[in-house]
Amino acid sequence: MDHLFEKTIKTTPIYQGKVIDLQVDDVTLPNGKKSKREIVKHPGAVAILPITKEGKLVLVRQYRKALDKVIVEIPAGKLERGEEPDAAARRELEEETGYRSEKLHYLISFYTSPGFADELIHLYECADLEKGQGALDADEFLDVLEVTLEEAEQMIRDQTIYDAKTAFAVQYMKLKEVGRT
Amino acid sequence: MDHLFEKTIKTTPIYQGKVIDLQVDDVTLPNGKKSKREIVKHPGAVAILPITKEGKLVLVRQYRKALDKVIVEIPAGKLERGEEPDAAARRELEEETGYRSEKLHYLISFYTSPGFADELIHLYECADLEKGQGALDADEFLDVLEVTLEEAEQMIRDQTIYDAKTAFAVQYMKLKEVGRT
């Protein structure tokens, strides 16, 4: 697939942040022309589709500074340095919702914005939730909601749910539901 | 929902690029503490779920510099300045695949990475594709594939399809298929 590849001539670091780094790569395109690629480096993240014993979906409502908006999402968070994705999924679920479960089931991983970022999200399903012992993380500012599949679908229509991983998770839940009937 | 909001104290522009800009905002958290938010500004994008008259899904295989990988995605591209999403969807479909269609149907919009970026993707379904008149865009380096739903599902399992919007689109197609039977 050499007719698709770009060759890196030079990498220029622009910014090293707490969550992301930015670099600009000078590249040679497959036709020999030169171009530049703006690339955001991200440590990767996990997201969890948590289902209560009553079959409800647990969601978090939070403010997202990048959007200047409050939206509702499945619990998620970035990987700590050296942390395994399944450990991160258990940690984020409990920190954000107070729930825990032994039944953690890996579903899928996907890049969120392959055009400019390398963020990879690992998505897990977590069933038969139990209330954990710990207090919620004091540095997380969020509300925990428990909704039915129908309520989640309505939240997609009215843009209360407004992000890719959560829309994927709701559709996944719907597919399981349809498969069951 | 004042218990969720962050107040901006200062915005520091870091980089203005061809595709993205980076800024760092100093904020006051709901508990009064100070923090910083690294924010990527993006013009927004469209993606298209194109279905041929034979019911096949049209995909593009392309190299993504941010990942240093070739992956397979639904056709997509960023909005040009002042461009309406449905016009962008028609343009990107034809530039990337050579197909066009009068039947453009809006499905959903979602943020891809609300933790650090404001990229919003508008997703359209496009049925009954016709071969367009124009040549493929000479600046696009990609292969066009036509696959069945089953083949697309296999491509998700083996990580040939490895991005959120495409995984969502394949699941959407599956839900329609399940609904039909």
Side-chain angles (χ1 to χ4, degrees):
Chain A
M1 292 185 283
D2 285 354
H3 63 294
L4 300 174
F5 274 90
E6 297 171 5
K7 213 175 130 186
T8 308
I9 305 165
K10 191 178 70 169
T11 294
T12 308
I14 304 289
Y15 182 78
Q16 290 201 296
K18 212 172 43 169
V19 179
I20 55 173
D21 298 339
L22 176 66
Q23 68 186 49
V24 176
D25 283 8
D26 288 89
V27 300
T28 307
L29 301 177
N31 64 0
K33 287 188 187 169
K34 310 287 186 218
S35 190
K36 284 180 190 292
R37 299 292 181 200
E38 297 149 11
I39 297 171
V40 172
K41 306 294 268 187
H42 185 281
V46 292
I48 309 102
L49 197 179
I51 310 280
T52 67
K53 289 182 178 168
E54 296 74 34
K56 287 197 171 182
L57 175 60
V58 181
L59 296 169
V60 295
R61 179 196 288 132
Q62 62 188 319
Y63 175 77
R64 290 300 204 168
K65 186 69 187 71
L67 317 179
D68 190 24
K69 245 182 217 163
V70 171
I71 62 172
V72 168
E73 298 168 60
I74 54 174
K78 69 180 166 55
L79 292 172
E80 305 290 348
R81 189 186 297 271
E83 191 180 31
E84 290 298 322
D86 61 344
R90 285 177 211 278
R91 177 180 57 72
E92 286 289 347
L93 175 67
E94 189 158 5
E95 282 177 6
E96 292 198 351
T97 71
Y99 277 116
R100 58 197 312 170
S101 164
E102 293 309 306
K103 296 194 189 168
L104 193 75
H105 170 60
Y106 172 73
L107 291 183
I108 186 174
S109 303
F110 39 61
Y111 292 103
T112 54
S113 304
F116 67 91
D118 70 349
E119 185 193 30
L120 181 65
I121 290 190
H122 307 282
L123 179 63
Y124 292 83
E125 186 179 10
C126 209
D128 292 346
L129 301 177
E130 308 273 355
K131 276 284 172 198
Q133 301 302 312
L136 293 188
D137 192 328
D139 287 335
E140 303 264 9
F141 304 98
L142 45 80
D143 297 333
V144 180
L145 315 176
E146 297 185 10
V147 303
T148 63
L149 174 59
E150 292 66 34
E151 287 165 341
E153 290 179 300
Q154 179 56 40
M155 292 168 96
I156 288 180
R157 283 191 291 271
D158 66 22
Q159 296 182 340
T160 304
I161 288 174
Y162 208 16
D163 89 307
K165 65 183 177 303
T166 309
F168 180 91
V170 172
Q171 226 179 214
Y172 178 87
M173 205 174 155
K174 174 84 173 179
L175 263 174
K176 274 189 81 162
E177 185 74 22
V178 172
R180 196 174 292 134
T181 54
Chain B
M1 292 186 283
D2 284 355
H3 63 294
L4 300 174
F5 275 91
E6 297 171 6
K7 211 176 130 187
T8 308
I9 305 164
K10 191 179 70 169
T11 294
T12 308
I14 303 289
Y15 182 79
Q16 289 201 296
K18 212 171 44 167
V19 178
I20 55 173
D21 298 339
L22 177 66
Q23 69 187 49
V24 176
D25 284 8
D26 287 90
V27 300
T28 308
L29 300 177
N31 64 1
K33 287 188 188 168
K34 310 288 186 218
S35 190
K36 286 180 189 291
R37 299 293 180 199
E38 297 148 10
I39 297 171
V40 173
K41 307 294 270 185
H42 186 282
V46 292
I48 308 102
L49 197 180
I51 310 281
T52 66
K53 289 181 178 170
E54 296 75 33
K56 288 197 170 181
L57 174 61
V58 182
L59 296 169
V60 294
R61 180 195 289 132
Q62 63 188 318
Y63 175 77
R64 291 299 204 170
K65 187 69 185 72
L67 317 180
D68 190 25
K69 246 181 216 162
V70 171
I71 62 172
V72 168
E73 297 168 61
I74 54 174
K78 69 180 164 58
L79 291 173
E80 305 289 351
R81 188 186 296 270
E83 190 180 33
E84 291 299 320
D86 61 345
R90 286 177 210 278
R91 176 180 57 73
E92 286 290 347
L93 176 67
E94 189 158 4
E95 280 178 7
E96 292 198 352
T97 71
Y99 276 117
R100 58 197 312 171
S101 163
E102 293 311 305
K103 295 193 190 169
L104 192 74
H105 171 60
Y106 171 72
L107 291 182
I108 188 174
S109 303
F110 40 61
Y111 292 103
T112 54
S113 303
F116 68 91
D118 70 348
E119 185 193 32
L120 180 64
I121 289 189
H122 308 283
L123 179 63
Y124 293 83
E125 185 178 10
C126 210
D128 292 344
L129 302 177
E130 307 272 356
K131 276 285 172 197
Q133 300 302 312
L136 293 188
D137 191 326
D139 287 335
E140 304 265 8
F141 304 97
L142 46 79
D143 297 333
V144 180
L145 315 176
E146 297 185 11
V147 302
T148 63
L149 174 59
E150 292 66 33
E151 286 165 342
E153 290 179 301
Q154 179 56 40
M155 292 168 97
I156 287 179
R157 284 190 292 271
D158 66 22
Q159 297 181 341
T160 303
I161 289 175
Y162 208 17
D163 88 308
K165 65 183 177 303
T166 309
F168 180 90
V170 171
Q171 227 179 212
Y172 178 87
M173 204 174 155
K174 176 82 174 177
L175 263 174
K176 275 188 82 163
E177 185 75 22
V178 172
R180 196 173 290 135
T181 54

